[in-house]
Amino acid sequence: MSAVVRARRAVRETVSGLPPAFWWLWTSTLVNRLGAFVATFMALYLTLDRGYSATYAGLVAALHGLGGVISSLGAGVMTDRLGRRPTLLVAQASTAVSVAALGFVHHPVAIAAVAFLVGMASNASRPAVQAMMADIVRPEDRIRAFSLNYWAINLGFAVSSMAAGFIAEYSYLAGFLIEAAMTMVCAIVVFVKLPESRPERSAEAAAKESSVSLVTVLRDGRFMSVVGLSFLIALIFQQASVGLPVAMGEAGFTPADYGMAVAVNGVLIVALQIPVTRFIQHRDPGRLLVISSVLAGYGFGLTAFAGSVGVFALTVCVWTLAEIVNAPTQTGLVVRLSPVHGRGRYQGMYTMSWSVAALVAPLMSGFVIDRLGAEWLWAACAVIGTVAGLGYALLMRRLPAEEPAAGAAKEQTVRPEVTAT
């Protein structure tokens, strides 16, 4: 059998068996990420085009992240109470409007305030997307579905990152407006093609849902352990965009050198996400999470020994492999631990762990690099990865068995509450 035939069979087996609603959700994700220009050139826009200081640009980035922290929890509650589809519509329409507005405001206070709103709106869709995906995909297919969605995110981001540079040379405002337009397209796709996926609630289910609050999630020790471990992993991966460029700059490397090294991350994810998914989808998630945590920690830890762009790129290969394995496996674990009637709140709490890491990571990397040196930052990453790996090993030993496929089939056959127009 030729390599081409084997590749075609692998792709067919990877994408087959998933419901049409998943592919519309996947398409919405891809379009959204293809238009994600603002995150790429926001710092350049503020410092070069508007003439603000790097400190102000950092403040705006922090406010954007703070908005994400707040909306993660609020959107989780909305996802459970109002439904997945209404939450997605509100989040994407609000993102489109706020991003467009960001291109027209000039006063520093107004820019900071709108950036905060953009952070809230853009992060509000994440709990709804994850909950809807868990609703419409069978348990045995969830790792595959989450991997495909993660692949779409990175493919879209890789393309938008390249396009952002060309668009910024022409007009920053054009970038804001293009992102707003493409986000509105996502909202239209959701409105036209996606029905509400939240299972129809009986009186008993409604009572259960009303009994689940954010306090309930906080009291779920096992799940909050996952959130804590997720925060540690996110803290490591955030160093790719905060600690790594600073360390490479202090070592005498240029921004182009950093771009070449970190570009390996996107290329590998696009190339390997699907084949790696085929390899891991039926394997022990506990072992995968332990291995990926250690790989992430020591992948960044090896950066301390990098002295050339080529070696930096090799370290990127190590932690990218960890990212490819960790992202869908960890998301699947979150779904496994979330009750059906509380998926939105649980997903919101999980999303918040990444948002908080996005706030803490710049402070952590800046403090360690300034006070101790970059080598200590990479050593800390290795320690954090080891701690996370041990944490997952202990957690997964007392995890209950995964829900059987038969139970999922029953869940998937419930009549949708709202039909798409």
Side-chain angles (χ1 to χ4, degrees):
M1 185 183 298
S2 68
V4 175
V5 173
R6 288 197 297 269
R8 287 178 178 174
R9 175 190 288 180
V11 171
R12 185 168 56 251
E13 291 176 354
T14 300
V15 303
S16 63
L18 296 171
F22 165 80
W23 289 112
W24 284 116
L25 190 60
W26 184 90
T27 301
S28 175
T29 298
L30 179 61
V31 172
N32 184 284
R33 299 309 297 176
L34 285 171
F37 301 124
V38 172
T40 303
F41 62 63
M42 188 64 184
L44 294 176
Y45 166 71
L46 293 175
T47 55
L48 299 182
D49 190 67
R50 292 297 177 191
Y52 293 114
S53 66
T55 300
Y56 174 76
L59 172 63
V60 171
L63 288 172
H64 183 279
L66 179 61
V69 172
I70 295 173
S71 69
S72 296
L73 298 179
V77 175
M78 286 179 60
T79 297
D80 285 336
R81 289 189 175 179
L82 300 181
R84 286 59 159 143
R85 183 172 179 259
T87 304
L88 272 175
L89 285 171
V90 171
Q92 292 176 342
S94 300
T95 300
V97 172
S98 57
V99 166
L102 191 58
F104 290 100
V105 295
H106 297 158
H107 193 279
V109 175
I111 291 175
V114 177
F116 173 77
L117 295 177
V118 171
M120 288 189 67
S122 59
N123 283 278
S125 62
R126 294 181 182 180
V129 169
Q130 300 293 352
M132 180 175 280
M133 203 168 293
D135 294 338
I136 62 181
V137 176
R138 297 176 302 175
E140 60 267 30
D141 292 331
R142 282 175 184 158
I143 295 297
R144 182 159 56 102
F146 290 135
S147 292
L148 287 168
N149 191 65
Y150 193 66
W151 184 82
I153 290 172
N154 283 277
L155 176 61
F157 183 74
V159 174
S160 67
S161 296
M162 291 185 291
F166 295 102
I167 293 173
E169 289 184 3
Y170 170 73
S171 168
Y172 284 101
L173 178 59
F176 287 105
L177 295 180
I178 291 173
E179 175 164 347
M182 296 189 75
T183 305
M184 191 60 74
V185 169
C186 295
I188 294 171
V189 169
V190 170
F191 181 75
V192 174
K193 291 295 184 180
L194 285 174
E196 174 57 59
S197 67
R198 184 177 61 173
E200 184 178 322
R201 295 172 297 172
S202 62
E204 181 182 357
K208 285 183 178 180
E209 180 179 327
S210 64
S211 67
V212 176
S213 65
L214 291 176
V215 175
T216 308
V217 181
L218 290 171
R219 289 177 176 174
D220 188 338
R222 186 168 53 204
F223 179 78
M224 290 306 298
S225 297
V226 173
V227 171
L229 294 172
S230 170
F231 168 76
L232 294 180
I233 294 299
L235 203 59
I236 296 173
F237 284 129
Q238 287 291 331
Q239 299 308 322
S241 58
V242 292
L244 184 58
V246 173
M248 290 186 69
E250 289 195 348
F253 293 94
T254 67
D257 293 331
Y258 165 73
M260 290 176 60
V262 83
V264 174
N265 173 252
V267 172
L268 284 181
I269 289 176
V270 172
L272 298 181
Q273 186 71 64
I274 291 178
V276 170
T277 296
R278 285 173 51 80
F279 178 76
I280 69 172
Q281 62 181 336
H282 298 304
R283 298 182 184 274
D284 177 24
R287 185 173 299 175
L288 293 174
L289 288 169
V290 171
I291 293 173
S292 63
S293 299
V294 174
L295 276 178
Y298 285 88
F300 278 95
L302 290 172
T303 308
F305 303 99
S308 67
V309 175
V311 178
F312 276 112
L314 287 176
T315 66
V316 172
C317 291
V318 177
W319 56 257
T320 296
L321 183 59
E323 184 180 0
I324 290 172
V325 174
N326 180 272
T329 308
Q330 186 164 255
T331 306
L333 176 62
V334 170
V335 173
R336 182 174 171 180
L337 295 178
S338 306
V340 173
H341 49 274
R343 274 179 181 157
R345 291 172 175 85
Y346 275 70
Q347 288 290 346
M349 187 65 70
Y350 168 65
T351 301
M352 192 189 70
S353 68
W354 285 81
S355 298
V356 173
L359 283 176
V360 174
L363 302 176
M364 166 187 165
S365 60
F367 177 83
V368 174
I369 290 175
D370 287 343
R371 298 294 181 88
L372 302 173
E375 294 80 6
W376 285 93
L377 175 64
W378 309 129
C381 287
V383 172
I384 293 171
T386 303
V387 171
L390 291 172
Y392 278 120
L394 293 174
L395 176 71
M396 298 300 285
R397 284 198 311 178
R398 53 192 180 89
L399 202 64
E402 189 171 8
E403 58 181 303
K410 181 179 180 181
E411 177 187 324
Q412 303 309 318
T413 58
V414 294
R415 179 172 58 84
E417 292 180 318
V418 181
T419 56
T421 54

